[in-house]
Amino acid sequence: MYAQMIKSEATQDDPEMLAAFQARIDAGEKIEPKDWMPEGYRKTLIRQIGQHAHSEIVGQLPEGNWITRAPTLERKANLLAKVQDEAGHGLYLYCAAETLGVSRDELTEMLLDGRMKYSSIFNYPTLTWADMGAVGWLVDGAAIMNQVPLQRTSYGPYARAMVRICKEESFHQRQGFHIMMAMVNGSDAQKRMAQDALNRFWYPALMMFGPSDKDSVHSTQSMAWKIKMNTNDELRQKFVDETVPQAEYLGLTVPDENLRWNEETGHYDFSEPDWSEFFDVISGNGPCNTDRLNARQKAWDDGAWVREAMVAHAEKKRARKLAAE
Amino acid sequence: MSTSKEWPLWEVFIRGQHGMSHRHVGSLHAADAEHAIRNARDVYTRRNEGVSIWVVEAAQITASSPSEKGPLYEPARDKVYRHPTFYDIPEEVGKM
Ligand SMILES: [Fe+2]
Ligand SMILES: [Fe+2]
């Protein structure tokens, strides 16, 4: 997902405190910033929320790529609003992470020096306008699948950020699907672009849910803490079941020859993505990893004088106000 | 890294259109109050969520401590007579 392969941290706290903490979570209570929490819970959440926040921010880049080249003024306004929302999502999440005792600058630095990651999906290029359709439809669609249950997560600030995000997210998916509808009803070349976008984004979208449950070693603790609500495979299946009929509606072909409806299970059977590609991308070797991090580094460096000037200006105003009193 | 000094954290409160009180919606960083209002407008009112914004520097807020939960809130628990349903009024009296 936006947070993939979050390693849950070991905890060495007092067993009685741990049991009381688990009882609160089991009773559906929310954990708030000033409440006692196990060190492992705190650290795992910083990593998870931080990775989620970074994904929202880095996720602006592949779509920002097309804002100036949107085919109509209306599409441009739609995309701009969508990308601006993603900036907001990043900010809500950074604030949630900060309540756990990490600073915004530390989070940024950890992204830039590679200690923290962002979702693998944003390391793929957006080559044509149809990719704006595919990203909204599939990538935001997959994100929604994961974010809706996270509204019930045990950590209060994270759950509240998720509620805000989910409210805004469905517009993202719908504007993407809307672009796809226009493409498939257009010229043959436009239909081919739509199909090509689906071909390129299908498996990377499936990878967003993280490795298969059998290879996903960190889930048990996170699920007990209710910071992970469903297993990777559960969500992936749900995504396939919802998306395949939408692709059919568009008249597009999901690039998977093993895809078929399974009467017995009531779900689609489908091929797993190439996990070696996933591990490659997440460890830094995807097509756009370097570009994405360079863009973030440049924004951080180029913004330094603005951050400093704002502080200097605020200090000057404060001094003047004091002098006038 | 260049800035050693982070912008302070502000808590944001917004009043919607329907006469409700200002409600806490989240937080953000800004150099000063004016800047915080401007950022709050971008981050928290993109869809007409509000007609008035308050910002308070987070460091200025005093919060009750979770360890006081018992002494602070338990005493209210057994005072059921503070709720209207405690008082049985015969139906023939009508709506009250
Ligand atoms: Fe988002
Ligand atoms: Fe989104």
Side-chain angles (χ1 to χ4, degrees):
Chain A
M1 197 19 58
Y2 276 16
Q4 293 155 325
M5 300 186 63
I6 299 301
K7 182 167 155 271
S8 54
E9 302 271 346
T11 266
Q12 294 158 328
D13 295 282
D14 173 53
E16 240 170 73
M17 302 273 277
L18 276 179
F21 179 79
Q22 189 60 51
R24 289 191 61 194
I25 287 181
D26 294 342
E29 279 183 42
K30 291 278 181 251
I31 309 302
E32 294 297 338
K34 287 180 153 190
D35 294 350
W36 183 86
M37 62 186 80
E39 227 3 61
Y41 178 83
R42 199 180 66 81
K43 283 194 186 147
T44 308
L45 267 178
I46 288 178
R47 189 175 302 179
Q48 178 172 333
I49 302 174
Q51 184 170 323
H52 196 157
H54 296 325
S55 300
E56 302 283 355
I57 298 297
V58 176
Q60 294 177 98
L61 296 169
E63 289 181 294
N65 179 34
W66 278 93
I67 290 174
T68 56
R69 295 178 287 164
T72 66
L73 191 56
E74 186 182 78
R75 292 288 184 203
K76 182 176 182 167
N78 300 161
L79 185 60
L80 195 57
K82 195 259 186 201
V83 171
Q84 194 188 7
D85 271 359
E86 306 300 3
H89 296 179
L91 296 178
Y92 309 153
L93 287 160
Y94 281 132
C95 283
E98 287 173 76
T99 63
L100 292 157
V102 63
S103 79
R104 178 79 57 95
D105 284 2
E106 278 170 332
L107 288 165
T108 306
E109 281 160 17
M110 285 193 275
L111 168 70
L112 294 180
D113 69 20
R115 274 177 293 162
M116 283 180 102
K117 306 227 172 285
Y118 55 88
S119 176
S120 55
I121 190 73
F122 301 119
N123 290 313
Y124 291 87
T126 45
L127 303 176
T128 72
W129 174 252
D131 289 10
M132 295 303 96
V135 167
W137 171 36
L138 301 172
V139 175
D140 290 77
I144 290 170
M145 225 106 278
N146 175 258
Q147 291 175 156
V148 166
L150 276 175
Q151 293 177 99
R152 291 178 286 110
T153 187
S154 62
Y155 189 56
Y158 192 25
R160 291 190 285 273
M162 277 305 141
V163 169
R164 289 195 72 86
I165 288 175
C166 286
K167 252 188 225 157
E168 301 178 349
E169 202 70 70
S170 79
F171 135 63
H172 299 179
Q173 191 185 15
R174 290 168 69 113
Q175 69 87 36
F177 195 74
H178 206 256
I179 291 172
M180 289 311 254
M181 286 186 353
M183 299 296 289
V184 299
N185 288 313
S187 66
D188 285 348
Q190 286 171 317
K191 265 179 243 176
R192 279 197 303 275
M193 274 167 75
Q195 181 62 54
D196 171 62
L198 172 60
N199 292 350
R200 281 181 289 108
F201 277 95
W202 175 254
Y203 287 105
L206 294 188
M207 291 178 202
M208 287 175 67
F209 298 94
S212 164
D213 291 350
K214 55 183 190 300
D215 305 315
S216 168
V217 282
H218 309 296
S219 293
T220 321
Q221 178 62 80
S222 288
M223 288 184 85
W225 278 336
K226 290 194 190 156
I227 58 182
K228 186 180 171 92
M229 310 301 283
N230 306 85
T231 73
N232 298 348
D233 286 340
E234 262 167 40
L235 290 175
R236 191 168 11 249
Q237 182 72 58
K238 195 161 182 271
F239 174 77
V240 172
D241 290 348
E242 272 186 29
T243 310
V244 170
Q246 295 164 354
E248 279 166 7
Y249 175 86
L250 292 171
L252 297 176
T253 311
V254 173
D256 178 0
E257 41 191 46
N258 298 315
L259 183 81
R260 55 185 56 86
W261 178 253
N262 184 327
E263 231 14 284
E264 254 163 67
T265 59
H267 295 288
Y268 284 95
D269 293 336
F270 61 95
S271 304
E272 293 218 359
D274 174 359
W275 290 116
S276 64
E277 176 183 321
F278 169 77
F279 288 111
D280 229 28
V281 172
I282 199 124
S283 58
N285 303 317
C288 297
N289 295 58
T290 312
D291 278 2
R292 300 301 185 230
L293 274 183
N294 285 348
R296 289 311 305 145
Q297 183 71 56
K298 184 174 185 309
W300 179 246
D301 294 342
D302 290 354
W305 74 269
V306 179
R307 295 192 296 276
E308 284 160 19
M310 291 298 291
V311 172
H313 180 65
E315 268 161 16
K316 189 178 77 183
K317 273 200 303 183
R318 201 173 307 130
R320 273 198 197 144
K321 209 177 147 208
L322 271 177
E325 272 170 15
Chain B
M1 298 282 151
S2 36
T3 28
S4 50
K5 207 166 164 227
E6 265 188 56
W7 294 344
L9 189 69
W10 300 76
E11 298 299 333
V12 181
F13 301 81
I14 289 186
R15 177 157 53 75
Q17 335 222 345
H18 306 293
M20 305 294 276
S21 337
H22 283 77
R23 203 169 62 88
H24 182 244
V25 292
S27 37
L28 50 77
H29 288 274
D32 62 17
E34 206 183 309
H35 184 210
I37 294 262
R38 223 171 289 164
N39 284 356
R41 178 242 180 219
D42 288 346
V43 180
Y44 292 109
T45 66
R46 288 196 303 283
R47 289 180 176 78
N48 259 315
E49 288 93 336
V51 292
S52 164
I53 302 173
W54 286 349
V55 293
V56 183
E57 208 177 329
Q60 300 295 323
I61 293 179
T62 310
S64 64
S65 120
S67 62
E68 286 178 314
K69 245 184 214 163
L72 285 182
Y73 311 116
E74 295 276 294
R77 196 168 288 177
D78 57 2
K79 296 181 178 53
V80 284
Y81 47 82
R82 283 178 173 166
H83 298 277
T85 44
F86 177 77
Y87 304 92
D88 279 327
I89 306 288
E91 230 160 84
E92 53 201 278
V93 178
K95 196 174 177 313
M96 183 180 283

